[in-house]
Amino acid sequence: MTWRQDADELSLISGKRRLSGRIHIIGLGNVGLFVAHSLASRPSPPPVTLMLHNPGLYKTWLKRKKCLSLGSNGLDDVKTGFDIDVLGDKSWISIPYWKEDGTPNESIEGEEDNVEGTLAQSAGVDDPIECLIVAAKAPVTRKALESVRHRLTPDSTVLFLQNGMGVIDEINKTVFTEPHTRPHYVQGIVSHGLARRSPNRFSVTHTGVGTTVLGVVPPAGTVPHDKEADADWAPSTKYLLRILTLTPPLVAIAETPSALLLYQLEKVAMNSVINPLTAVMNCENGELLYNYSYTRIMRLLLMEISGVICALPELQGIPGIETRFSPERLRWMVTQLANRTAHNHSSMLQDVRNGKTTEIEYMNGYIVRRGEELGVKCVVNYMMKHLVLAKKESTTKREWGAVPVVDAT
């Protein structure tokens, strides 16, 4: 069955307006590029719109000949045919890949040198977004969604493919504050090995096959239950899950809300050890395994993380939680991950080096916040969080040549 047949069938069943089948992607890091390339690899690819948050990115897109490339086993696979939405002066501008006659919308010679003129002649767009994949990092998700809030409706579905936890709670408090106006949410975890091919902005290398675990997020204020029939899902949610799980390169599976939550907590536990330690110590992942002092800190972090996770109210009644999230098992998982990625630099270390905002608030910060709700003081995670924040701030000041301010009081 093609994407068009899927969209038409789900529209007919729901009795609502016809689904266009278009998928928008915002956040074109490694994960966003990999998902876009994977969708374009389908025998019958759905229409995909890449959302670029500034004209400078569109200029780079033109220089790259409107192509995405995925490197694997020494070979490059190049895909084209993507439509583009560019965020100009607080409004989105649509630039389709295809003309109305079905031929490619060819670039004009030297167009990348006159991006402003090209955008000025292009049509603005405020059409509703049915399916939005958010692959931007957690700290910039709020800003990203605020830019498209007017295009998301209660019939839309938003898929979050990010590290960390607590993003949806933040979005509900700041962007979609009224429950009846919120889109439907899906969350996912990507375990594929992906690496940016610098300096190529729209190119990524697939370093290892993993999986993509997806799960529908129950509405806020409801109790997650795994017996919820997919008949209760919105047509856009069904369509997005069907398309992704039938896209072979993603190796995507749909899980129940409880199962997805457990996967997320495992990933947060591992990221809350490897990412901050490598960021603070400026080392490769594998170096954490061969230093006695590092292993002592890892143990203290995992004892706190284990205690908080096992006490979470949403996990009570699920069998085997104490074993699955014991400090010993979590330490084994961290060791395995650090071994597999021994020569990698964590994303948090790269963010610190580049003076970017890190995801620490959605990793160790999440553990600290949940601990406070339970009356548990996570002092080691709190310290690690502020070490990363301090490291990032000092890197930024050094980059800009800032002069320290001395408090005279």
Side-chain angles (χ1 to χ4, degrees):
M1 184 177 289
T2 66
W3 67 269
R4 180 70 273 166
Q5 291 170 317
D6 281 333
D8 289 344
E9 177 188 333
L10 292 171
S11 301
L12 183 64
I13 293 173
S14 68
K16 296 186 177 182
R17 68 179 182 85
R18 188 189 192 205
L19 286 172
S20 71
R22 179 170 296 278
I23 297 173
H24 289 71
I25 301 177
I26 192 166
L28 296 177
N30 293 347
V31 172
L33 293 177
F34 176 62
V35 172
H37 188 280
S38 298
L39 288 170
S41 300
R42 289 171 53 95
S44 174
V48 174
T49 296
L50 308 181
M51 308 191 77
L52 310 182
H53 60 268
N54 63 59
L57 267 180
Y58 180 62
K59 183 175 182 179
T60 304
W61 174 251
L62 292 175
K63 288 182 176 179
R64 290 283 297 151
K65 309 300 181 185
K66 304 181 182 179
C67 297
L68 295 185
S69 65
L70 180 73
S72 180
N73 299 320
L75 300 174
D76 278 355
D77 186 18
V78 177
K79 298 296 180 186
T80 60
F82 302 99
D83 298 316
I84 298 295
D85 280 1
V86 183
L87 184 59
D89 185 19
K90 297 183 180 180
S91 63
W92 288 95
I93 298 166
S94 178
I95 306 173
Y97 183 85
W98 302 101
K99 295 180 181 178
E100 292 184 4
D101 61 5
T103 60
N105 195 358
E106 299 291 348
S107 297
I108 302 171
E109 185 71 26
E111 184 180 359
E112 63 266 22
D113 297 324
N114 187 30
V115 166
E116 291 76 11
T118 301
L119 296 180
Q121 298 173 15
S122 301
V125 59
D126 284 317
D127 294 342
I129 294 175
E130 294 172 348
C131 299
L132 176 65
I133 297 176
V134 180
K137 289 193 173 184
V140 299
T141 298
R142 173 182 172 181
K143 184 176 180 180
L145 285 180
E146 283 176 341
S147 71
V148 294
R149 174 170 48 188
H150 62 292
R151 300 179 61 186
L152 292 167
T153 74
D155 292 324
S156 304
T157 293
V158 179
L159 164 61
F160 297 88
L161 290 178
Q162 305 165 309
N163 287 328
M165 295 184 69
V167 175
I168 289 181
D169 292 336
E170 178 184 343
I171 294 304
N172 285 343
K173 290 177 182 177
T174 58
V175 182
F176 300 109
T177 55
E178 298 296 329
H180 65 278
T181 66
R182 289 173 187 159
H184 303 272
Y185 297 142
V186 179
Q187 284 189 304
I189 303 171
V190 177
S191 63
H192 290 272
L194 302 167
R196 175 60 54 84
R197 302 174 68 187
S198 182
N200 295 335
R201 181 63 178 80
F202 293 97
S203 183
V204 65
T205 300
H206 193 201
T207 60
V209 177
T211 60
T212 304
V213 182
L214 306 169
V216 175
V217 178
T222 63
V223 179
H225 55 94
D226 295 339
K227 295 182 180 179
E228 179 182 10
D230 64 2
D232 297 332
W233 297 348
S236 60
T237 303
K238 293 181 184 180
Y239 170 76
L240 184 59
L241 287 176
R242 186 178 295 183
I243 287 292
L244 295 177
T245 53
L246 294 177
T247 299
L250 294 176
V251 195
I253 58 172
E255 280 284 6
T256 63
S258 294
L260 178 69
L261 177 59
L262 298 182
Y263 283 123
Q264 287 179 299
L265 289 168
E266 285 179 341
K267 188 167 186 180
V268 162
M270 292 186 287
N271 285 343
S272 296
V273 174
I274 294 176
N275 283 29
L277 275 175
T278 54
V280 171
M281 303 312 299
N282 192 29
C283 66
E284 295 178 346
N285 294 355
E287 294 181 58
L288 299 179
L289 303 177
Y290 305 103
N291 186 305
Y292 177 79
S293 296
Y294 289 164
T295 61
R296 297 302 91 191
I297 300 172
M298 289 167 60
R299 282 181 177 273
L300 292 173
L301 283 169
L302 289 172
M303 287 176 66
E304 287 186 354
I305 293 169
S306 172
V308 169
I309 292 177
C310 289
L312 291 176
E314 58 264 40
L315 300 189
Q316 303 313 302
I318 299 178
I321 292 300
E322 290 78 10
T323 301
R324 182 165 180 169
F325 292 98
S326 67
E328 294 76 18
R329 182 173 182 273
L330 293 179
R331 184 171 63 86
W332 176 81
M333 294 182 69
V334 168
T335 301
Q336 294 296 309
L337 179 59
N339 250 324
R340 288 199 308 270
T341 61
H343 299 295
N344 291 5
H345 294 107
S346 70
S347 59
M348 190 172 290
L349 171 56
Q350 295 177 52
D351 286 340
V352 166
R353 286 177 173 176
N354 295 323
K356 295 182 178 180
T357 302
T358 70
E359 297 168 308
I360 193 70
E361 292 287 0
Y362 304 89
M363 294 177 184
N364 303 78
Y366 175 81
I367 297 297
V368 171
R369 289 193 299 276
R370 297 308 307 268
E372 288 175 346
E373 294 172 8
L374 298 165
V376 178
K377 296 295 183 182
C378 300
V379 293
V380 184
N381 279 273
Y382 182 83
M383 180 188 70
M384 189 57 64
K385 169 186 143 179
H386 282 280
L387 282 173
V388 171
L389 294 174
K391 182 84 170 181
K392 184 263 178 183
E393 184 178 349
S394 64
T395 301
T396 303
K397 287 182 176 179
R398 193 180 304 116
E399 186 75 20
W400 288 94
V403 178
V405 177
V406 179
D407 189 350
T409 59

